[in-house]
Amino acid sequence: MLAILFAAVAIPLNADELRPAVIEMVEREADRWVMEWKLPVTVSRGQGALPVASPVYPEACEPIGDPAQRATALTVQGRQELRCEGDLAGEAFGLSELLGNSDAIARLVPLERPVQSFRLTSDAPTATILAQPGTWQVLRDYFVIGAEHILFGWDHLLFVIALVLLVRAPWEVVKAATAFTVAHSITLVATSLGYTGLPSRPVEAIIALSIVFLAVEVALVLRDPERRTFTRRFPWVVAFAFGLFHGFGFAGALADIGLPQGEVVPALLAFNLGVEAGQLLVVAGVIALLALMRRTVPVAENPALKIATYAIGTIGSFWLIERVIG
């Protein structure tokens, strides 16, 4: 539990961190392309916000004019027109580099052929354009993106951890986690396909509220183990209700990345399966830690749970205040 606590407080207090770099090449007319990019920035003392990478275009393409670029608080967004000769299959495009464990999404949008999507990494910051994209590529990349979102999207992660701390009994955890899964899958798919949607700011605030709510419930149970709150008696109901809003959060992150045309269903399925794989990994890890602590140092279990619970509640409260008044 202390490892979870230290990991939680050691990172910057930002949530929903799946905001990878995105670079896209779109064919506007024969041999004319537009490359657009959105890159996260780092802040360098005395130099302000600097992009973490620069775009790389195929060797068969030449830039037309100078790139248009503008900076926001967290990203640098740019646009470059290109003249490209011949078939681009086998050519590389992407980014000059990716730092650390960051990743990026690259998309190629030809006029008369399927869209190609690639996941870029620090080891492979460029992608090779295919003559014909495959569904397996989409499944693999979006599965990894979904798993990363639950593992590095700290607000969703803390909600899942708090849910396990509240329920604890393995079978009850399975039921609550399943309800959470079903709920966020419904809103994720419905929003991504355009059937529904909510503004991101209230959704992010409600997600933070869900963390605070569960932290309070866990604290009450730790104070009085015999206390039978509605949440403790029916955790799957609460997990389902808040899961609907977490699904809107997942959909917002996925909207930033985009879905490949012609492969929307496989991409959605893979992303959702990736989220579930990451979620199951977190649930299993927390249950294993609790079981290990109960067997080896049972006297430390209650103090460790209190520390973890108040840390989760404090971080959730910070996010809630920030999102309400920010």
Side-chain angles (χ1 to χ4, degrees):
M1 299 312 301
L2 288 175
I4 293 173
L5 168 64
F6 292 149
V9 299
I11 60 165
L13 290 181
N14 292 316
D16 247 342
E17 283 301 303
L18 184 70
R19 296 293 187 265
V22 177
I23 185 163
E24 184 175 73
M25 276 188 63
V26 181
E27 188 177 15
R28 300 298 187 189
E29 55 186 75
D31 299 333
R32 289 295 183 99
W33 295 73
V34 173
M35 176 177 277
E36 296 180 324
W37 59 88
K38 181 175 66 174
L39 308 177
V41 299
T42 57
V43 178
S44 178
R45 183 174 297 177
Q47 294 181 292
L50 300 174
V52 298
S54 57
V56 173
Y57 47 81
E59 292 184 1
C61 299
E62 293 183 357
I64 302 175
D66 296 324
Q69 193 160 270
R70 67 184 182 90
T72 65
L74 297 176
T75 63
V76 170
Q77 300 177 22
R79 186 178 187 274
Q80 173 70 65
E81 294 188 11
L82 301 170
R83 180 184 293 108
C84 303
E85 296 182 358
D87 189 358
L88 297 182
E91 297 274 358
F93 81 110
L95 298 169
S96 59
E97 63 177 334
L98 281 168
L99 304 178
N101 295 321
S102 60
D103 59 6
I105 298 298
R107 286 198 299 269
L108 186 83
V109 188
L111 277 174
E112 298 179 354
R113 285 179 294 174
V115 174
Q116 299 185 34
S117 296
F118 306 88
R119 175 175 173 265
L120 309 180
T121 66
S122 56
D123 294 330
T126 61
T128 301
I129 299 171
L130 304 175
Q132 185 70 28
T135 301
W136 172 247
Q137 172 204 9
V138 173
L139 291 172
R140 180 195 60 201
D141 290 345
Y142 277 81
F143 179 87
V144 173
I145 292 168
E148 287 181 344
H149 186 51
I150 193 70
L151 295 175
F152 299 108
W154 283 91
D155 46 3
H156 306 297
L157 185 63
L158 291 186
F159 179 86
V160 172
I161 292 173
L163 188 63
V164 177
L165 296 184
L166 175 68
V167 181
R168 290 202 240 174
W171 177 239
E172 294 300 320
V173 169
V174 169
K175 290 194 292 185
T178 301
F180 181 67
T181 294
V182 171
H184 72 62
S185 298
I186 291 171
T187 46
L188 167 62
V189 172
T191 304
S192 298
L193 296 179
Y195 293 113
T196 186
L198 287 177
S200 62
R201 290 191 65 85
V203 167
E204 296 296 331
I206 292 173
I207 290 173
L209 176 63
S210 71
I211 298 169
V212 177
F213 178 85
L214 283 186
V216 171
E217 289 289 313
V218 176
L220 292 174
V221 170
L222 289 174
R223 183 179 302 174
D224 180 9
E226 300 302 319
R227 187 183 183 98
R228 302 294 294 174
T229 64
F230 178 85
T231 304
R232 196 177 186 191
R233 286 184 289 125
F234 305 103
W236 65 271
V237 175
V238 175
F240 184 89
F242 281 126
L244 294 172
F245 292 98
H246 281 257
F248 286 118
F250 289 136
L254 189 56
D256 282 351
I257 298 168
L259 291 168
Q261 296 176 15
E263 299 285 357
V264 171
V265 173
L268 265 178
L269 175 63
F271 180 85
N272 209 41
L273 289 175
V275 168
E276 299 324 309
Q279 181 177 300
L280 289 174
L281 184 63
V282 171
V283 169
V286 175
I287 290 177
L289 276 174
L290 290 173
L292 180 64
M293 183 175 298
R294 198 171 296 121
R295 288 187 177 186
T296 56
V297 281
V299 295
E301 181 182 6
N302 202 56
L305 287 174
K306 286 183 179 179
I307 292 172
T309 299
Y310 278 91
I312 292 171
T314 300
I315 294 171
S317 298
F318 174 84
W319 285 332
L320 178 60
I321 295 169
E322 181 185 49
R323 294 170 185 185
V324 169
I325 68 175

